[in-house]
Amino acid sequence: MEILLFLGVVVASAVSGLAGHYQGDKVLRLIPETDQHLQFLRNVSHTRKVDIWQPHSIDLVTTDRSVDFRVGANWTSDVQAELEKIGLQYEILTENLQTLIENQFDRIRTRSFSYDYESYHNWDQIESWIATIANKNPNLISRVKIGQSYEGRDISLLRVGKRTGSPKPAIFMDCGIHAREWISPAFCQWFVKEAIRTYGTDSLLNCLLNELDFLVIPVLNVDGYVYSWTEDRLWRKTRSRNFNSACVGTDPNRNFNAQWCANGSSNNPCSDVYCGPFVESEKEVKAVATFIRNHSSIIKAYLTIHSYSQKLLFPYSYTYSLAYNHNELANLAQNAVLALQSLYGTQYTFGSGSNSLYLASGGSDDWAYDLGIKYSFTFELRDTGKYGFLLPESQIRPTCEETMLAINYIANYVLNHLY
Ligand code: 0X9
Ligand code: ZN
Ligand code: ZN
């Protein structure tokens, strides 16, 4: 991490390029227990000595809830000494963040002409993959451009399912709302690949493709995704410029029309959970919300793929009140998680967002649910913090395989409970 000069103003976060950017930074985990502990975390966060990762903002940190945060290389001895002084125990999750960033690419690259679904791909590669896969599989896949990003990139959606002539019920799934959660776009690509691979066999997925369409957005926040490859691996938000602030971007998952900008969002453009200047201010959010509104009669489930923390969440996140079909959603989530776990034993927890994670308004899942899509889920894929957003490529395959089981379970349930 390059030294951010603290000039008495809030300095834009994440300023410089990738190379060596996080050299010597550490990631710590702790559970604050007292107001003094909270005050300490607020101080080091506001002076930018640390950057809160889990939850995503200092505003969401409370006592008795675990916090993961990055400490800049220049502040590690300071911060660790301070923690010892106030008697706050911590665990070192990562000794050197730069090493972790480099270790994401831990697979031996095989020279092959076919697309490698077990490595991370940049946007150029994904974009040409989208075009190619649609062109090569016209019987199963069609591509729709649903809009453009702030920086003018196309946002593509792949409609995956057997062409039947008449409209079919659909399951909507988006990946890459948050830029740094690279396993998410990797999963959407895996899903489409599996659809093509198993088409014509007697697998469950094949049956689903005959009866349903999957509407898949491989990368929604494309500008942020590009930025996470070129400038700052840990970028989360969009890349839109903010009026009257040097800080860039809005959290797309705080920008939907679901109790917008209330609990768990910030109206500070420098925050990682900034809700934006108004509802659907982000072109990416506007595009996906418009598409879903225009197809709300056929969309029977909404799935959104994030990382990390191994959770399956459903509405509500903006309130502690329970969804009207809470028991059904909890049951469905439990069975989906059991299916996922059956492959490699990966443990997931599940529940409403507010009760299992934190109160957070303006999220896509709550918005879709209130629009009338009664099966609405947020996946938080692997892991639980060892690698966090920097999940090594060697985990792409097992993560995608197990996640497929949960998605297939939900899709099959939805097919049997059409409404
Ligand atoms: O905070 C989020 O946006 C999601 N977690 S993440 O670590 N991927 O950023 C959780 C979203 C849960 N749903 C809502 N908050 N509506
Ligand atoms: Zn069959
Ligand atoms: Zn996310």
Side-chain angles (χ1 to χ4, degrees), residues 70 92 109 112 126 135 139 154 178 184 193 203 224 227 241 243 248 279 284 293 313 322 360 383 387 392 407 417:
R70 176 179 65 83
I92 300 179
R109 263 140 230 276
S112 157
I126 297 176
N135 286 337
N139 58 328
D154 285 332
H178 289 136
S184 165
K193 175 219 30 148
S203 66
Y227 196 75
R241 301 304 180 271
F243 182 69
V248 171
V279 161
E284 302 79 5
R293 271 191 292 266
L313 306 171
L322 298 186
D383 58 11
Y387 298 103
I407 300 278
H417 297 79

Side-chain angles (χ1 to χ4, degrees), residues 214-230:
F214 289 88
L215 307 171
V216 181
I217 298 187
V219 186
L220 178 55
N221 176 11
V222 273
D223 298 347
Y225 189 73
V226 168
Y227 196 75
S228 74
W229 273 82
T230 57

Side-chain angles (χ1 to χ4, degrees), residues 172-178 184 220 253 302-307 312-313 363-365 376-381 407:
F172 185 97
M173 177 164 76
D174 60 54
C175 287
I177 282 197
H178 289 136
S184 165
L220 178 55
N253 214 29
Y302 172 81
L303 307 173
T304 181
I305 313 296
H306 291 250
S307 75
L312 182 48
L313 306 171
S364 62
D365 49 1
S376 179
F377 292 96
T378 295
F379 277 79
E380 296 274 11
L381 303 186
I407 300 278

Side-chain angles (χ1 to χ4, degrees), residues 53-56 60 177-178 180-181 236 251-254 258 264 273 304-309 313-318 353-354 357-367 377-381 389:
W53 277 11
Q54 203 67 278
H56 302 294
L60 301 171
I177 282 197
H178 289 136
R180 62 192 172 190
E181 299 163 11
R236 167 180 168 92
D251 183 348
N253 214 29
R254 299 291 180 280
V273 290
T304 181
I305 313 296
H306 291 250
S307 75
Y308 61 95
S309 63
L313 306 171
F314 50 81
Y316 284 107
S317 283
Y318 67 63
S354 55
L357 192 59
Y358 38 63
L359 271 178
S361 57
S364 62
D365 49 1
D366 286 354
W367 171 78
F377 292 96
T378 295
F379 277 79
E380 296 274 11
L381 303 186
F389 305 116

Side-chain angles (χ1 to χ4, degrees), residues 202-203 206-207:
D202 196 27
S203 66
N206 183 57
C207 298

